[in-house]
């Protein structure tokens, strides 16, 4: 029998003699045996998509992590969706803004805005779209299908409560529909009586043909951003990429993409004005979150996990594995901002820092006033 780790550190703790779940414990070593610096009552800030209910539909699926799955998600929620070739996410709109990141495959995104401009764009891995609240849109898998994540600016959002074109037609009196479109009521005899949500369709034709079929409409591409073509900013230990209203003008959700080499770390920092939701794409990582008063808790993450950090709480993200970590960070604000612990100390008079922390020259000389969000292990 394999010896399992026991929650014992020195004279603290004791062995577990009751039932165990070794697989879950193995993914959460800092929960089983917390660092001695952990203290107090930070709420849960991790939820795996693997534990989220999966809604299976005609040809695809969707699952979500909202405040119902993780109570700390107040300002943001996240959805993971799969659309094989041709499969459509029904024409719909939201009360919330929808920010999207393409994980795999290729996808066609359709949208119209309040100025009657039309968007039809094909996107690939690493690309983004933003559907503002109230703007109708649809999503369709191309030849190889697609998988993506969607972030919404309300933790109480649910993918099961969107405004759907099929339901709008089904719940509007036929005489009203007839008057609205100037056709006889019989024109609506075939409309579905229930939502389609996700359903099969043929793979759409070449994008030029689809646009041509729409005729003399005004096209726009302002609601998509080809982040896959954006060069990351490299640092010792990894790299970061910022996408916010400075380079993607329409977005009201800022994003930071973080790549960490083994041993690399997103330095200790906090965000002064926005909650942060995280989606781990690859690798293994850990994060400690600090809050007043004397509260700190460490969480472990693997690919497919969702993390969350409320605004102003200090934290880091450390690559604890032997493979690169890639994590998406999306913020409930249009413009990305952070405060670095290292920069704060470096930009404060040395005597004041020494007086607070009782430290000497070795640490003081290592402080830097320049931006370096990633540090090397």
């Amino acid at each position: 029998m394999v010896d399992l780790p026991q929650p014992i550190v020195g004279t603290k703790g004791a062995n577990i003699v009751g039932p165990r779940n070794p697989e879950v414990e193995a993914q959460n070593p800092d929960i089983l045996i917390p660092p001695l610096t952990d203290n107090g009552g930070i709420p849960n800030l991790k939820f795996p998509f693997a534990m989220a209910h999966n809604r299976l539909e005609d040809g695809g699926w969707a699952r979500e992590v909202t405040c119902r799955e993780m109570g700390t998600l107040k300002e943001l929620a996240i959805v993971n969706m799969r659309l094989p070739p041709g499969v459509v996410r029904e024409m719909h709109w939201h009360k919330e803004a929808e920010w999207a990141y393409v994980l795999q495959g290729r996808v066609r995104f359709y949208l119209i805005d309040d100025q009657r401009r039309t968007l039809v764009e094909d996107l690939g891995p690493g690309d983004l779209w933003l559907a503002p609240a109230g703007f109708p849109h649809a999503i369709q898998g191309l030849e190889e299908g697609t998988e993506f994540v969607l972030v919404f600016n309300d933790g109480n959002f649910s993918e099961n409560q969107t405004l759907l074109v099929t339901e709008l037609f089904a719940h509007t009196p036929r005489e009203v529909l007839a008057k609205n479109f100037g056709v006889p009521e019989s024109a609506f005899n075939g409309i579905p009586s229930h939502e389609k949500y996700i359903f099969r369709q043929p793979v759409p034709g070449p994008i030029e043909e689809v646009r041509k079929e729409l005729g003399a409409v005004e096209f726009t591409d302002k609601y998509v951003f080809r982040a896959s073509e954006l060069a990351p900013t490299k640092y010792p230990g990894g790299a970061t990429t910022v996408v916010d209203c400075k380079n993607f003008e329409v977005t009201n959700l800022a994003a930071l993409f973080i790549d960490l080499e083994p041993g690399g770390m997103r330095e200790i920092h906090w965000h002064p004005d926005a909650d942060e939701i995280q989606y781990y794409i690859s690798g293994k990582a850990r994060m400690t979150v600090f809050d007043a008063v004397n509260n700190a808790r460490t969480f472990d993450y693997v690919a497919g996990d969702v993390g969350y950090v409320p605004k102003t709480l200090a934290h880091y993200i450390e690559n604890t594995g032997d493979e690169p970590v890639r994590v998406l960070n999306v913020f409930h604000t249009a413009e990305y901002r952070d405060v670095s612990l290292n920069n704060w100390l470096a930009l404060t008079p040395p005597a004041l820092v020494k007086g607070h922390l009782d430290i000497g020259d070795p640490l003081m000389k290592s402080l830097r006033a320049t931006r370096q969000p990633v540090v090397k292990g």
Side-chain angles (χ1 to χ4, degrees), residues 9 57 163 188 199 215 228 260 281 307 322 324 346 362:
V9 179
E57 295 289 329
L163 297 131
F188 304 99
F199 62 100
S228 61
L260 298 174
I281 295 178
D322 54 11

Side-chain angles (χ1 to χ4, degrees), residues 99 101 125-128 225-235 237-248 251 253-260 266 271 276-277 281 325-331 334-338 371-374:
W99 180 99
Y101 179 93
D127 291 336
L128 316 177
F225 187 81
R226 301 187 189 283
S228 61
E229 301 173 3
L230 201 61
T233 303
K234 296 183 178 180
Y235 302 95
T240 63
T241 305
V242 175
V243 179
D244 65 4
C245 61
K246 293 180 180 179
N247 52 6
F248 185 20
T251 190
L253 294 171
L256 178 71
F257 309 151
I258 303 173
D259 296 289
L260 298 174
R266 172 70 173 99
H271 305 282
E276 165 187 344
I277 197 166
I281 295 178
V325 163
R326 183 163 176 82
V327 55
L328 307 182
N329 298 255
V330 182
F331 303 88
E335 184 176 346
Y336 177 80
R337 296 183 179 90
D338 65 25
R371 177 171 174 76
Q372 187 182 329
V374 174

Side-chain angles (χ1 to χ4, degrees), residues 26-322:
Q27 287 194 5
N28 299 277
D30 289 293
I31 296 295
L32 178 67
I33 309 174
L36 294 178
T37 47
D38 277 14
N39 192 66
I42 293 279
N44 179 46
L45 298 172
K46 170 185 175 177
F47 195 91
F49 261 121
M51 291 181 63
H53 170 73
N54 208 349
R55 179 176 174 176
L56 305 184
E57 295 289 329
D58 180 26
W61 53 256
R63 51 189 179 175
E64 63 185 16
V65 178
T66 72
C67 65
R68 288 165 286 278
E69 287 73 31
M70 181 164 39
T72 44
L73 269 65
K74 304 299 185 186
E75 295 190 351
L76 297 161
I78 187 168
V79 171
N80 179 206
M81 187 175 291
R82 173 83 167 101
L83 301 177
V87 174
V88 174
R89 168 62 169 99
E90 177 182 344
M91 295 166 63
H92 65 286
W93 71 101
H94 303 287
K95 300 173 185 177
E96 305 84 2
E98 173 185 296
W99 180 99
Y101 179 93
V102 182
L103 294 168
Q104 296 287 340
R106 292 189 60 77
V107 59
R108 182 161 295 171
F109 181 59
Y110 310 86
L111 175 145
I112 71 159
D113 68 11
D114 57 335
Q115 302 301 309
R116 294 176 297 283
R117 291 174 297 201
T118 297
L119 181 146
V120 181
E121 292 287 340
D122 292 347
L123 303 171
D127 291 336
L128 316 177
W129 72 75
L130 190 285
F135 284 22
H137 55 286
I139 313 162
Q140 187 171 22
L142 293 176
E143 291 85 354
E144 62 269 49
T146 186
E147 186 173 336
F148 48 86
V149 289
L150 308 169
V151 176
F152 298 88
N153 57 350
D154 185 351
N156 195 45
F157 169 84
S158 176
E159 183 65 17
N160 303 316
Q161 297 174 0
T162 55
L163 297 131
L164 305 173
V165 68
T166 52
E167 291 189 335
L168 174 60
F169 270 69
H171 296 286
T172 301
R174 293 288 178 92
E175 66 271 17
V176 174
L177 290 173
K179 182 180 291 186
N180 189 80
F181 292 102
V183 296
E185 291 185 29
S186 60
F188 304 99
N189 287 345
I191 63 173
S193 60
H194 55 81
E195 68 176 26
K196 290 193 172 181
Y197 185 64
I198 290 174
F199 62 100
R200 301 174 195 268
Q201 286 277 275
V203 174
I207 195 167
E208 296 81 8
E209 294 181 7
V210 173
R211 289 173 176 164
K212 184 178 180 180
E213 187 180 25
L214 284 168
V217 302
E218 182 182 354
F219 287 99
T220 180
D221 63 358
K222 66 184 292 186
Y223 302 100
V224 300
F225 187 81
R226 301 187 189 283
S228 61
E229 301 173 3
L230 201 61
T233 303
K234 296 183 178 180
Y235 302 95
T240 63
T241 305
V242 175
V243 179
D244 65 4
C245 61
K246 293 180 180 179
N247 52 6
F248 185 20
E249 292 183 2
V250 300
T251 190
N252 56 353
L253 294 171
L256 178 71
F257 309 151
I258 303 173
D259 296 289
L260 298 174
E261 300 168 1
M265 188 175 81
R266 172 70 173 99
E267 67 164 348
I268 300 171
H269 67 286
W270 54 94
H271 305 282
D273 62 348
D275 283 15
E276 165 187 344
I277 197 166
Q278 304 165 345
Y279 178 71
Y280 288 80
I281 295 178
S282 63
K284 296 171 59 178
R286 73 169 181 171
M287 173 177 72
T288 299
V289 177
F290 166 79
D291 192 8
V293 175
N294 287 327
N295 286 308
R297 187 173 175 187
T298 303
F299 302 87
D300 303 283
Y301 300 90
V302 297
D305 286 349
V306 175
Y308 198 74
V309 185
K311 64 173 70 72
T312 74
L313 300 195
H315 58 288
Y316 63 86
I317 302 172
E318 179 186 18
N319 185 338
T320 55
D322 54 11

